[in-house]
Amino acid sequence: TIGINSSGEWRRRRSSTKTGYSNIVRCCNPVSYKKFVDFALDQTTTHTHLLPSPLQEKYNSMNSKDGKGELSMLSFQAAKIRLLRSLIIKSETMQVLDFTVFPKAEYDTPIFCANFFTTARTNIVVLDLNPLHDIINQGDYKEKYFKSLIPLGLKYAEHFPWGGKLTSESIKFFSPIVIWTKFTSSPQNYDILYSAFRDYYKVWLEMVGSAVKETDESQILRNLQAQHRYLTWRAEKDPGQGVLKKLIGDTLAKDLLRNFLFNGVDELGSKKFSDYFPQYCCDEDNKKRSTIGKSFESRPWDANGEFLGNIFKLR
Ligand code: BLA
């Protein structure tokens, strides 16, 4: 039985094992991210035929160094999907979902992105259909994929307040309907998060389903470069890196990031991080999270999905 006490504190859970009863301290959160992934896989199979990814053999499950945490990985591919992969982390102190789906380069559809970091008290959440191309300066791409979704974004923006300042470059990878939020752990919040996840995923599946295969080589190349740029950003700057390194060590964390989570970063293009993000060129080892700092204290889109931020900051 998983429960939560009124203050959202830890609770002791009695779990039965083959050998009897053992008391395991569990994070109070009555959330199971497996349910989210199960939903997504189930929905995906109603639209397309999922094939196991060649990555599955190597990346399936792993224990953390201290033996108290478990990482579970799943990966698939499909006719229009280059890679659908999920990572669930469960440890004594946190639960994490990193679920991302990358379309093939013949499609310019957004990348589905769900990143949830949960501890006993708090949650850091990004749920979005990450635009493949610039939606701040490129009106047609925004129009094509996001115009009709603005009401959906507003519906959840009401419940999930903007999460506050974030690495400035990240905003370019987010859409006008991004759910970027932080909230305290509660069953009600997880119910709404689950509902948002289902809504966003269903909408994304429809998008991919109706996407028409691009035949123009230059457009395909453009999509491929945008995918590679995205992978390069995330493989290098993912805020989860520190947590992963702590859990499984530097070498395994790096391998997981480059070869599983952001698979393709070493294959889909040859540009390096500093080619795409020259503003980081002079930072020592790219260690700084952002050279232009964090910004966007409040939601930088208005109710019509118009960008309100300072675009100059983003150059
Ligand atoms: C924090 N995670 C964040 C923040 C963002 C994201 C925007 C706020 C801090 C910041 O802006 O740097 C997520 N950023 C994203 C995503 C994109 C992006 C999804 O640019 C996509 C383009 N988060 C994870 C995983 C873990 C995790 C797998 O996705 C842990 C294993 C943890 N995220 C995590 C933690 C923080 C965080 C601990 C807060 C600490 C910090 O800010 O560094």
Side-chain angles (χ1 to χ4, degrees), residues 96 115 117 124 126 166-167 170 180 233-234 239-240 289 294:
V96 174
N115 278 72
F117 175 83
I124 300 174
V126 174
L166 74 168
T167 303
S170 289
W180 154 239
W233 171 255
R234 295 205 59 189
R289 180 60 62 70
K294 295 203 181 197

Side-chain angles (χ1 to χ4, degrees), residues 87 89 94-98 100 113-118 124-127 130 163-174 180 182 230 233-234 237-244 247 257 261-262 289-290 294:
L87 165 70
I89 304 174
M94 73 181 113
Q95 295 196 52
V96 174
L97 173 67
D98 183 339
T100 307
C113 165
N115 278 72
F116 308 156
F117 175 83
T118 292
I124 300 174
V125 162
V126 174
L127 175 62
N130 291 155
K165 283 192 177 178
L166 74 168
T167 303
S168 308
E169 289 89 346
S170 289
I171 209 79
K172 285 193 284 186
F173 295 100
F174 292 171
W180 154 239
K182 292 174 183 165
Y230 179 93
W233 171 255
R234 295 205 59 189
K237 292 287 169 194
D238 204 273
Q241 276 192 40
V243 176
L244 285 176
L247 283 170
L257 278 157
L261 292 176
F262 305 113
R289 180 60 62 70
S290 168
K294 295 203 181 197

Side-chain angles (χ1 to χ4, degrees), residues 98-118:
D98 183 339
F99 178 76
T100 307
V101 196
F102 302 96
K104 286 188 180 165
E106 287 83 2
Y107 305 93
D108 70 351
T109 30
I111 295 165
F112 185 84
C113 165
N115 278 72
F116 308 156
F117 175 83
T118 292

